[in-house]
Amino acid sequence: MLLPMSNLPPLTTETIWDILNETLDDATVNQLVWHYLGYRHDSASDRWDTTAVAPEWKEAYPEPPDFIANRPPTVKLTRSIPPEYKQLLKSELGFQGYKVDELVPRKTRRATIANWLLSYMHQVDLDV
């Protein structure tokens, strides 16, 4: 079920921590990424508007992908993080990563999403 964009949590460091700590559900986490990639859902037509989506995302994913369930879109997300922002979780938030016994795809994908969103915050000068 899609949340109205007004119901998404604000993009703050607290929200980033909620993603890492699994306080936010997977659907909300995906919707945050979709929103900041530019995907907009038109509830009247039940279709996705990709007008604001970058061409490389629109071509690969005409509808927003499930980043947590699928590896390929998460790899694309990782590659889209500028090199200077790759270590923001560690340098800005002090996130040390997960323990070896916690390393499961779902958590590592959430960490990628958190890092991408934190990178986005830096690129658009949101308060970090």
Side-chain angles (χ1 to χ4, degrees), residues 50-70:
T50 58
T51 307
V53 178
E56 63 272 13
W57 281 98
K58 193 183 322 189
E59 283 178 28
Y61 301 100
E63 291 194 359
D66 184 337
F67 288 97
I68 295 172
N70 300 300

Side-chain angles (χ1 to χ4, degrees), residues 4-96:
M5 292 299 172
S6 60
N7 289 355
L8 286 175
L11 189 52
T12 62
T13 54
E14 291 80 20
T15 299
I16 301 299
W17 276 113
D18 287 345
I19 293 168
L20 294 168
N21 293 326
E22 299 184 89
T23 307
L24 285 178
D25 62 274
D26 292 351
T28 302
V29 172
N30 269 315
Q31 287 180 63
L32 276 168
V33 181
W34 299 343
H35 178 74
Y36 291 105
L37 281 171
Y39 291 95
R40 299 295 182 269
H41 189 262
D42 180 352
S43 56
S45 67
D46 196 26
R47 298 183 72 103
W48 287 97
D49 176 1
T50 58
T51 307
V53 178
E56 63 272 13
W57 281 98
K58 193 183 322 189
E59 283 178 28
Y61 301 100
E63 291 194 359
D66 184 337
F67 288 97
I68 295 172
N70 300 300
R71 183 176 181 272
T74 308
V75 170
K76 185 173 183 64
L77 202 63
T78 299
R79 291 179 179 156
S80 72
I81 300 170
E84 64 270 26
Y85 299 130
K86 295 267 187 201
Q87 297 296 318
L88 285 177
L89 290 181
K90 186 175 186 178
S91 65
E92 294 269 328
L93 300 183
F95 179 66
Q96 297 299 312

Side-chain angles (χ1 to χ4, degrees), residues 11 16 19 32-33 36 112-121:
L11 189 52
I16 301 299
I19 293 168
L32 276 168
V33 181
Y36 291 105
T112 296
I113 289 166
N115 198 53
W116 185 88
L117 288 168
L118 195 55
S119 167
Y120 177 87
M121 290 170 69

